[in-house]
C-alpha cells in the first residue's frame, strides 16, 4: 500500500488549508510575471537584463518559485521550526547508496541526455563538454528542477489531499503544474522550446496522478 505524504500525519499539521489559494496565486503570479516580460518584450527586456537561459537568475527564480512560495508560507504559518520539520521529511527515506547515486546523478544525467537528443538549447555546447563539465551541469540540474517539487508535491499536494481523494488531488495538481509551464514554451533560451507542449502537459499530469 502506498503511503501518502499527508500534513495531518506530520509535524506540519498546523498549516491551514487557507494557504492553498495563496500558494497557487503567488506561484503563477511570480513565474508567469517573470516569463511574460521576456515573451512580450523580447527586444527590450533581454537587452536590459540579459538573454534568457537556464542559468539566468530570473529563470531560476521562476523555476524555484513553487518551492520558495511554499517555504515562505510554511514560515508564516509555523515559523522556522516548522520549516525545519518540513525539510526533515527528506531524510525519512530508507535507501541504499546506489539509489542515492541514481537520484543525485542519474536522473539529472537522463534529463540532460534527453534534452540533447531533442535538440534543446545548449545541446551543441553540451556535446563539446568534458566529463567533468557534464557532471557539473548534472549537479546544477539536480538543484534547478527539484526545488519546485517542494511546492507542488511537498506543500500543495498534502493540503489538497486533506479535502479530496488522492486521485482527484493528483489530477488537479497535475493540470495546474502543466499549465504553469506554458510560458516557457514561448521563451527562447529554455529547454521547453524544443519540446511539444501537449505531450509534455499530458505526461506531467499523468506522472503527478501516478505519484499522488
Amino acid at each position: 500500500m502506498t503511503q501518502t505524504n499527508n500534513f495531518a500525519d506530520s509535524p506540519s499539521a498546523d498549516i491551514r488549508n487557507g494557504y492553498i489559494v495563496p500558494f497557487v496565486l503567488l506561484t503563477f503570479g511570480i513565474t508567469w510575471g517573470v516569463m511574460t516580460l521576456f515573451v512580450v518584450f523580447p527586444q527590450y527586456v533581454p537587452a536590459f537584463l540579459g538573454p534568457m537561459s537556464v542559468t539566468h537568475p530570473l529563470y531560476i527564480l521562476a523555476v524555484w518559485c513553487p518551492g520558495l512560495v511554499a517555504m515562505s508560507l510554511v514560515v508564516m504559518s509555523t515559523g522556522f521550526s516548522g520549516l525545519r520539520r518540513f525539510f526533515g521529511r527528506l531524510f525519512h527515506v530508507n535507501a541504499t547508496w546506489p539509489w542515492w547515486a541514481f537520484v543525485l546523478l542519474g536522473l539529472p544525467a537522463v534529463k540532460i541526455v534527453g534534452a540533447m537528443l531533442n535538440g534543446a538549447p545548449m545541446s551543441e555546447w553540451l556535446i563539446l563538454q568534458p566529463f567533468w563539465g557534464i557532471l557539473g551541469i548534472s549537479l546544477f540540474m539536480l538543484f534547478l528542477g527539484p526545488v519546485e517539487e517542494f511546492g507542488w508535491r511537498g506543500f500543495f499536494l498534502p493540503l489538497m489531499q486533506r479535502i479530496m481523494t488522492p486521485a482527484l488531488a493528483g489530477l488537479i495538481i497535475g493540470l495546474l503544474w502543466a499549465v504553469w509551464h506554458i510560458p516557457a514554451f514561448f521563451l527562447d533560451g529554455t529547454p521547453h522550446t524544443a519540446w511539444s507542449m501537449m505531450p509534455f502537459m499530458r505526461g506531467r499530469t499523468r506522472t503527478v496522478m501516478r505519484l499522488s
Side-chain angles (χ1 to χ4, degrees), residues 7-209:
F7 275 128
D9 302 321
S10 73
S12 301
D14 49 349
I15 295 179
R16 300 191 304 271
N17 293 347
Y19 283 105
I20 290 176
V21 173
F23 171 80
V24 174
L25 293 179
L26 288 170
T27 295
F28 272 84
I30 296 173
T31 298
W32 280 33
V34 168
M35 293 193 172
T36 298
L37 286 175
F38 283 85
V39 173
V40 176
F41 305 104
Q43 296 179 343
Y44 303 104
V45 175
F48 182 70
L49 299 175
M52 179 56 71
S53 69
V54 294
T55 58
H56 195 291
L58 288 179
Y59 180 81
I60 295 175
L61 171 64
V63 173
W64 283 5
C65 182
L68 296 176
V69 169
M71 296 174 206
S72 300
L73 294 177
V74 169
V75 171
M76 289 177 57
S77 179
T78 64
F80 287 100
S81 61
L83 188 63
R84 287 194 297 270
R85 295 193 299 271
F86 179 74
F87 283 112
R89 292 177 297 166
L90 289 173
F91 304 100
H92 296 167
V93 178
N94 294 322
T96 59
W97 71 264
W99 280 108
W100 282 110
F102 174 72
V103 170
L104 296 177
L105 299 176
L107 292 180
V110 169
K111 185 173 182 178
I112 289 176
V113 171
M116 293 171 64
L117 293 176
N118 285 323
M122 299 177 63
S123 296
E124 296 181 0
W125 178 80
L126 282 170
I127 294 175
L128 301 176
Q129 296 304 302
F131 170 77
W132 292 111
I134 297 294
L135 179 61
I137 296 170
S138 298
L139 293 175
F140 171 74
M141 296 300 294
L142 173 67
F143 292 99
L144 177 63
V147 174
E148 67 187 73
E149 296 274 353
F150 292 128
W152 293 111
R153 288 182 43 79
F155 180 85
F156 191 30
L157 178 60
L159 291 180
M160 292 288 283
Q161 288 179 339
R162 287 178 178 175
I163 59 178
M164 61 186 67
T165 64
L168 182 56
L171 174 61
I172 293 174
I173 293 174
L175 290 172
L176 287 174
W177 199 344
V179 171
W180 175 75
H181 283 86
I182 286 179
F185 287 91
F186 301 95
L187 185 58
D188 291 337
T190 68
H192 298 72
T193 55
W195 303 341
S196 298
M197 182 188 300
M198 293 310 299
F200 173 88
M201 296 182 69
R202 288 194 297 267
R204 172 66 63 176
T205 303
R206 286 196 298 264
T207 299
V208 175
M209 290 184 65

